[in-house]
Amino acid sequence: MSVALLISALLPAAAQQYFVSSVASKGASYLNVEESVLFFANEADSKTVTVSTNLAFKLGKAPSPWCKPTLQKNTVQVQVDANMQPEVRTTSFTLIAKDNKSVTITVQQLGASPSVLVKETNVSLEDSKRTFTLEVTANVLPEFELPEWIKPVNVTPAVGIHTYTFEADELTVESTRTGNVVVKGTGASPVTVPVSQKFNGYVTFAVISDIHFGNSQGEGPAVKVPQALKNITSHKALDAVFVVGDLTDGGAPAQYKQFVDVFGNAANYTHPVGKMVYMLGNHDNYASQQNYVTGLRPLNNGDDYPFDQYIVIKGYP
């Protein structure tokens, strides 16, 4: 049996985008919109809101006369008249469906007086996320007051509806800081957007491989692996331990039982581990892949253990 150990800190991965959607349970009804607050400049304009639903929906109480929503199959077209009054005006309307499903859309529109509206009410940055945007609607050139740790990336001021990009300085030690981005313009009331940044530290993990439960040579894995686990978890609480292949010597159910007895025993860990991850090796495939799937169920809340996993820890894939 050979045991390879590695404790490492994972460096930041290249920037990646993730698009996450939620799906209601089978048979459940749902009614969602992509945006629940719409901002308009003072001229006449329109916007389209996408609706996600498995229900027919209708318009509740009509909004103010200057705002005219039109319902279609999967969208709502929102048309506003020009606002010739000095102040910002606000209205709202509700989409209603059966099963008590409803969603309210709020509409705000600038008037003729100098004003600034900001879509985001707060910004939260964690771990590797450092860039953020603010959607600003203004009838004066916006100005930005920033904490010293936030830098402008794309903030050329312009009248109308524009998205501005900012980047926070990198935190290199576990810490949290807060500050405010203040958006203002000549004659306009300033808007304050709180920004928080938190760094949980770089990912720390250990890797152990080729433990071959079922191999009876020498002291065997039942003795060596608990010693190894206590050793690699003695330095600090790790975010993860990866057990990478040849968990067993031949993939037999009894060998997986031995494996689970060791890795499921909290006494074998000096400090706690955030996540344990197990991976199939060629020896684990000798008897049956199904033995791997079912043999690791006790370590996976009783569910079949997956062949493939995509894991993000502290913002790092």
Side-chain angles (χ1 to χ4, degrees), residues 49-67:
V49 179
T50 300
V51 181
S52 174
T53 184
N54 56 359
L55 303 169
F57 58 94
K58 63 181 181 179
L59 184 67
K61 183 180 178 181
S64 301
W66 56 269
C67 177

Side-chain angles (χ1 to χ4, degrees), residues 1-7 206-211 228 232 242-244:
M1 178 189 71
S2 63
V3 178
L5 305 177
L6 170 65
I7 298 178
V207 180
I208 181 170
S209 71
D210 296 278
I211 49 182
I232 64 178
F242 297 89
V243 189
V244 291

Side-chain angles (χ1 to χ4, degrees), residues 20-272:
V20 181
S21 61
S22 60
V23 179
S25 57
K26 185 177 181 180
S29 57
Y30 60 95
L31 176 66
N32 303 307
V33 294
E34 63 176 353
E35 290 184 279
S36 60
V37 180
L38 303 178
F39 294 111
F40 289 90
N42 62 325
E43 66 268 14
D45 199 359
S46 66
K47 291 185 177 182
T48 300
V49 179
T50 300
V51 181
S52 174
T53 184
N54 56 359
L55 303 169
F57 58 94
K58 63 181 181 179
L59 184 67
K61 183 180 178 181
S64 301
W66 56 269
C67 177
K68 305 175 182 65
T70 303
L71 306 188
Q72 300 178 9
K73 182 178 180 180
N74 294 312
T75 62
V76 180
Q77 186 79 19
V78 182
Q79 176 78 42
V80 296
D81 297 335
N83 184 10
M84 308 307 295
Q85 302 302 314
E87 303 302 325
V88 173
R89 60 185 179 184
T90 303
T91 189
S92 64
F93 60 91
T94 303
L95 305 180
I96 301 174
K98 68 176 185 178
D99 299 337
N100 294 316
K101 301 295 181 182
S102 66
V103 60
T104 298
I105 297 175
T106 300
V107 179
Q108 280 194 295
Q109 186 182 26
L110 297 178
S113 297
S115 300
V116 171
L117 300 174
V118 183
K119 180 178 180 180
E120 293 74 18
T121 57
N122 62 81
V123 174
S124 179
L125 306 172
E126 190 164 358
D127 293 320
S128 60
K129 183 179 179 182
R130 294 167 49 205
T131 302
F132 65 96
T133 59
L134 297 178
E135 183 184 294
V136 177
T137 303
N139 54 14
V140 292
L141 291 178
E143 302 171 16
F144 301 93
E145 289 183 2
L146 305 173
E148 62 179 10
W149 49 275
I150 295 179
K151 304 296 188 294
V153 176
N154 175 20
V155 291
T156 303
V159 172
I161 303 174
H162 295 277
T163 298
Y164 301 92
T165 305
F166 307 86
E167 184 176 56
D169 292 341
E170 183 180 10
L171 286 173
T172 57
V173 296
E174 295 183 30
S175 57
T176 301
R177 59 186 170 189
T178 59
N180 295 319
V181 173
V182 180
V183 187
K184 58 184 183 178
T186 302
S189 298
V191 177
T192 299
V193 181
V195 180
S196 64
Q197 185 182 22
K198 181 179 181 181
F199 183 56
N200 295 300
Y202 294 113
V203 178
T204 57
F205 63 92
V207 180
I208 181 170
S209 71
D210 296 278
I211 49 182
H212 289 269
F213 273 88
N215 186 327
S216 59
Q217 297 182 20
E219 291 179 305
V223 174
K224 291 184 177 181
V225 173
Q227 293 174 344
L229 285 176
K230 290 174 183 176
N231 180 27
I232 64 178
T233 60
S234 65
H235 304 278
K236 62 180 295 184
L238 297 174
D239 295 308
V241 169
F242 297 89
V243 189
V244 291
D246 290 354
L247 317 181
T248 64
D249 203 46
Q255 295 172 357
Y256 283 108
K257 175 64 167 56
Q258 295 172 5
F259 180 92
V260 168
D261 288 344
V262 169
F263 281 89
N265 185 354
N268 291 329
Y269 303 87
T270 309
H271 288 106

